[in-house]
Amino acid sequence: MEDLNHHRIKTNGIFLHVVEKGTGPLVLLLHGFPEFWYSWRHQITFLVNHGYHVVAPDLRGYGDSDSPLSYNSYTLFHLLGDLVGIIDHFGEQQAFLVGHDWGALLAWHLSLHRPDRVKGLIAISIPYHQRNPDAKVIESFRRIYGDGLYICQFQEPGRAEKAFARYDYLTVMKKFLLITKTDNLVAPLDMEIIDYLQTPSVLPPWITEEELQVYADKFQETGFTGPLNYYRAMDMNWELYGAWQGSKISVPSKFIVGDKDIGFDTNGTREYVLGDTFKSLVPDLQVVILDGHHFIQQEKAQQVSEEILAFLHKLSVD
């Protein structure tokens, strides 16, 4: 993808690397873990060709963006400040947000705090949840899944980095990016999650060895501490978000999820997504369930691109 424009822009006290192309309404594509801008390679050109100005950043801690060492610098408020700075940099009052995984969380929460800056949002794989007022995030996860849950294992600084280092970077990417519904993100207590996850012997048709190597090469340059710091700040986010307990998202929203996403059938998520509570928190909501897994914007690239375009087009002409 050599025809893309690469910039490093100053925002919120750090420099972020962004990939940018096109003219028209601004669309921010926000990646998740463990990815960087490259996870949107299929959507970037598609949306540009349909009249949109597309910006795909490497989020704080990822890729060629700055990576503060302390997890104290990775609260949602830090990350949302980065996004407002990107929108300001391109001289726009509003942007469309498209986020996957952690990027979906950012899209939800920027829409919660700054609906004046968001024209509409598409969240992929991760729905919007209310904060549990009775228990911090990690405590809640431990009660449900135990200490073997990957999020719990990621809490201790250096632990996951040390475990990941037992494998080459390509193998780490395969273990996470190719995860399926039959996998389990809760390891036995005597195992690290990276040891527990299987390495597929055959690649699925939606990704090549060369594409996986692009991920591996980038993470070999940058390491995993920045991305893991998002998880280490989860309880800080809980502490900071008490004032927004029960808040609703008024921005027009679309949620896309794969029916075989490992998280979709976990702990009542399917029932939540299809039930009344989710829609009560996000009143202007459309839900789309596709045949696929967690990294569905890559696995079902054309379908997801068309779902994004239909939503953007509707709001662009309204």
Side-chain angles (χ1 to χ4, degrees):
M1 306 185 71
E2 297 178 356
D3 58 340
L4 300 176
N5 301 311
H6 293 256
H7 311 288
R8 273 175 62 84
I9 66 174
K10 185 73 174 291
T11 170
N12 200 23
I14 64 172
F15 282 93
L16 293 185
H17 168 253
V18 304
V19 168
E20 175 256 343
K21 190 177 182 183
T23 59
L26 179 61
V27 181
L28 298 190
L29 302 179
L30 310 175
H31 67 80
F33 174 89
E35 301 173 284
F36 62 112
W37 74 263
Y38 185 72
S39 68
W40 298 108
R41 60 196 177 279
H42 303 294
Q43 284 74 39
I44 293 172
T45 302
F46 180 89
L47 294 175
V48 167
N49 289 341
H50 284 86
Y52 291 91
H53 179 197
V54 179
V55 174
D58 290 340
L59 297 176
R60 170 186 295 241
Y62 282 89
D64 294 321
S65 292
D66 286 354
S67 184
L69 290 177
S70 172
Y71 65 83
N72 294 322
S73 296
Y74 290 82
T75 71
L76 284 171
F77 290 109
H78 289 89
L79 301 166
L80 300 185
D82 296 348
L83 300 185
V84 171
I86 293 174
I87 297 171
D88 287 343
H89 175 85
F90 288 101
E92 298 289 349
Q93 175 59 33
Q94 287 190 314
F96 291 107
L97 304 181
V98 183
H100 171 255
D101 190 79
W102 269 101
L105 287 174
L106 300 189
W108 289 124
H109 285 87
L110 186 59
S111 300
L112 175 68
H113 291 291
R114 296 299 307 271
D116 59 312
R117 307 307 302 269
V118 182
K119 178 72 171 175
L121 81 94
I122 297 175
I124 302 173
S125 299
I126 303 296
Y128 176 66
H129 283 280
Q130 282 203 68
R131 170 184 180 272
N132 178 1
D134 299 321
K136 291 185 177 182
V137 178
I138 305 307
E139 177 186 345
S140 297
F141 279 136
R142 285 197 170 109
R143 286 178 182 175
I144 298 169
Y145 302 106
D147 289 329
L149 180 69
Y150 74 105
I151 293 173
C152 298
Q153 291 193 357
F154 287 176
Q155 294 305 302
E156 180 184 339
R159 174 181 173 178
E161 291 94 326
K162 182 179 179 181
F164 290 5
R166 292 198 288 270
Y167 299 88
D168 63 83
Y169 285 85
L170 182 60
T171 298
V172 174
M173 290 298 106
K174 287 180 178 179
K175 283 174 174 279
F176 279 114
L177 293 179
L178 306 183
I179 196 165
T180 69
K181 188 176 175 181
T182 57
D183 290 311
N184 191 337
L185 285 169
V186 182
L189 290 181
D190 59 346
M191 290 185 70
E192 297 294 324
I193 191 66
I194 195 66
D195 298 327
Y196 184 62
L197 291 176
Q198 298 298 308
T199 306
S201 57
V202 178
L203 297 184
W206 55 269
I207 197 165
T208 67
E209 192 86 8
E210 291 74 21
E211 289 172 321
L212 285 164
Q213 192 64 54
V214 172
Y215 284 105
D217 290 345
K218 183 55 63 179
F219 278 95
Q220 187 164 7
E221 291 177 19
T222 62
F224 291 99
T225 297
L228 291 166
N229 278 338
Y230 284 60
Y231 296 92
R232 293 164 185 161
M234 291 176 85
D235 274 349
M236 290 183 62
N237 289 328
W238 184 92
E239 294 174 6
L240 292 168
Y241 265 80
W244 287 272
Q245 189 71 42
S247 296
K248 297 183 179 183
I249 292 174
S250 59
V251 171
S253 305
K254 187 173 192 174
F255 178 62
I256 302 172
V257 67
D259 63 346
K260 300 176 184 65
D261 190 317
I262 191 170
F264 189 48
D265 277 332
T266 301
N267 198 31
T269 301
R270 179 186 292 268
E271 292 75 18
Y272 172 77
V273 167
L274 297 176
D276 295 333
T277 301
F278 185 25
K279 293 179 176 62
S280 72
L281 294 172
V282 190
D284 191 352
L285 175 68
Q286 178 185 357
V287 174
V288 176
I289 301 174
L290 301 178
D291 175 20
H293 299 85
H294 184 67
F295 297 94
I296 197 163
Q297 83 276 26
Q298 298 178 74
E299 180 185 4
K300 295 297 175 69
Q302 186 65 30
Q303 281 182 272
V304 170
S305 295
E306 290 173 355
E307 290 287 351
I308 293 171
L309 180 64
F311 182 78
L312 301 184
H313 181 68
K314 179 180 182 299
L315 293 180
S316 295
V317 299
D318 282 351

